[in-house]
Amino acid sequence: MGARVIDGRALAEELKLRVISEVEELAAGGVRPGLATVFVGEDYAARAYERRVRKLAGELGCRYTCERLPEEAEEADVLAVVGKLNADPRVSGILVLRPLPERVSEPAVYRMLDPLKDIEAVHPVNAGLLALGRPRYVPSTPAACFYLLDRYLKLSGRDPEEYYRSSTVVVVGRSNNVGKPAVSLGFARGATVISCDVNTYRAGRLREQTVRADVLIVAAGVAGLIDESYVREGVIAVDVGINPVADPEGGGRTILVGDLDFQSVARKAEALTPVPGGVGPITDVWLLKNTAAAARWSSSRFPGRRWLPVAAPAISGGYEEQ
Ligand SMILES: Nc1nc(=O)c2c([nH]1)NC[C@@H]1CN(c3ccc(C(=O)N[C@@H](CCC(=O)O)C(=O)O)cc3)C=[N+]21
């Protein structure tokens, strides 16, 4: 039961200070970053995230707009909104919230994004750069996972570069905005990476993969999927799940819980992240960090950075530039 609980809120505050100074520098140069979100329908987790980024953008003095579309929206409606945001010079970065309704094709929407405003790296060009280990933008949720891991490894006295090269990272879930980019970030660090998804589970072969993990990143979207029987002694477990469930304390409220059975995994883990208070609070700060970078890169007031940016060397990948 000696597992360390990684404090995402504290790490987010630390990262936020860096984003604040970045935004201040831009402000001194007459540039104000602008974030736009596109929110189709009524998904609970998407609403929770939208509220958080709205609040954070306000705190940081960034411009913010949310384009709301009803669940019945058609693909053309979404494409038209993206086109409008692409053309708006006040918008530096665009986040298309998932999930999108069935009839709206995710790849079609992603292709429509101006690649320089695509702060989640879902446009084929940006997704490709990331897959090649030279990301322009590192997408927020997987970036938050590795930011937290990199910081934890350092705080526990390890050299992260050396650690990853001799470790196995297992990623559960294969979404375009979390699982796949998390695999790329694991590759970029020289880790042995195993990717599992629902097919692995249905084949009854998830456990045989997850028990190999030194670092386990779970982004399956299934509440309590992973218990202690899925992990080896000493695992470092990162919980990306944000599943709305009825509050067991009653009151008819909804709360968000992770993909880990926390108490169970804590019996075997060296360290693990909670939900709430783990990956989530770092995610929104990272999104604004990318928005600030987008604003800088698109501004003629910062001429030194006007080239199409390709980020820092793969290992640091922009996480640990200090
Ligand atoms: N394209 C896209 N990218 C996303 O990153 C994305 C998305 N679509 N759709 C919706 C989900 C949801 N999401 C959250 C991130 C952080 C918290 C968060 O910070 N939660 C707090 C509070 C949780 C609570 O209210 O209990 C925490 O974990 O501590 C929540 C939800 C990002 N998402």
Side-chain angles (χ1 to χ4, degrees), residues 9 43 45-46 48-49 52 95-99 120 141 177 242 256 275-278 280-281 283-284:
R9 290 195 184 110
D43 181 73
Y49 191 43
R52 290 182 66 91
L95 165 70
V96 179
L97 285 157
R98 284 165 40 105
E120 281 227 309
T141 308
N177 70 326
I242 8 162
L256 293 172
V275 176
T283 305
D284 44 9

Side-chain angles (χ1 to χ4, degrees), residues 32-38 63 65 67 80-97 109-127 129 136-140 286-299 306-309:
R32 186 172 176 218
L35 171 63
T37 56
V38 179
R63 215 180 270 282
T65 176
E67 296 284 341
V81 162
V82 171
K84 186 182 86 168
L85 297 172
N86 283 346
D88 187 337
R90 292 165 298 192
V91 173
S92 333
I94 304 170
L95 165 70
V96 179
L97 285 157
V109 173
Y110 293 166
R111 272 198 304 276
M112 179 81 189
L113 288 165
D114 177 342
L116 290 180
K117 296 190 177 190
D118 170 32
I119 49 177
E120 281 227 309
V122 287
H123 183 282
V125 166
N126 293 328
L129 286 168
R136 175 183 282 154
Y137 299 112
V138 181
S140 332
W286 198 277
L287 189 75
L288 270 300
K289 181 180 186 289
N290 284 354
T291 306
R296 174 185 289 266
W297 291 331
S298 63
S299 168
R306 278 210 89 193
W307 43 280
L308 293 188

Side-chain angles (χ1 to χ4, degrees), residues 24-31 299 301-302:
E24 280 170 357
E25 193 190 328
L26 291 171
V31 172
S299 168
R301 302 220 173 98
F302 290 87

Side-chain angles (χ1 to χ4, degrees), residues 10-23:
L11 293 173
E13 284 305 314
E14 179 190 279
L15 183 65
K16 195 162 132 185
L17 294 177
R18 283 162 57 189
V19 182
I20 288 171
S21 59
E22 174 79 17
V23 172

Side-chain angles (χ1 to χ4, degrees), residues 15 31 40 53 55 138 140 146 149 164 207 228 237 246 272-273:
L15 183 65
V31 172
V40 186
V53 297
K55 180 161 168 280
V138 181
S140 332
F146 278 93
L149 281 166
Y164 288 117
R207 186 177 281 109
E228 63 188 305
L272 75 175
T273 71

